[in-house]
Amino acid sequence: GAKGAAKAKAKSRAQSRLADEDVDLNGLEVGDVVDGIVVNKSPVGVFLDIGCGKDARLSISKKLGRRLMRGDRIEGLLIEELEHDPPRIAVGVEDPE
C-alpha cells in the first residue's frame, strides 16, 4: 500500500548521499545546457552528477544507456524537467550520438 511506499521512500531518502537541504536547484532552468558525469546506472535509467547535489536522470534509449559507464563525462546536456519538491531533474542529450 501507500504506507509501505512512503516508508520505503523515507528510508531511501535517509540513505541518499546528500540530504535534500544540500540540493541547490536555484539558478538552474529548463533549457539550460549542463555537463554531467555518470554516477549510477539502474533499470530506471542512467543518473548523472551535474553539480547541484541531486543526480539528474538522463532521458535516452536503453540501447544508448548500456554504452555508458560510471565515470563517463557527458557534455551538452539539456535540462528537460526540473522539480523543486521533491527535487527531481531530467536531462537529455541534444545529439544522442
Side-chain angles (χ1 to χ4, degrees):
K3 254 188 190 154
K7 225 179 231 173
K9 200 171 184 181
K11 188 175 181 187
S12 70
R13 185 173 293 155
Q15 290 169 342
S16 77
R17 271 179 316 146
L18 291 161
D20 285 349
E21 293 80 61
D22 295 333
V23 175
D24 183 15
L25 301 186
N26 298 329
L28 287 179
E29 286 178 30
V30 171
D32 282 357
V33 176
V34 295
D35 297 340
I37 294 172
V38 177
V39 289
N40 197 4
K41 287 173 68 173
S42 76
V44 205
V46 175
F47 292 87
L48 305 172
D49 178 356
I50 60 168
C52 66
K54 175 70 184 170
D55 295 342
R57 189 171 61 81
L58 180 59
S59 322
I60 53 167
S61 70
K62 282 198 162 89
K63 188 175 148 197
L64 278 174
R66 276 192 216 108
R67 296 190 352 213
L68 294 171
M69 304 300 290
R70 286 176 81 148
D72 282 355
R73 182 178 172 80
I74 303 174
E75 298 181 354
L77 297 161
L78 199 61
I79 295 181
E80 297 176 343
E81 277 178 61
L82 204 54
E83 298 277 335
H84 286 273
D85 193 22
R88 235 190 15 228
I89 311 160
V91 294
V93 244
E94 290 182 283
D95 176 8
E97 291 307 307

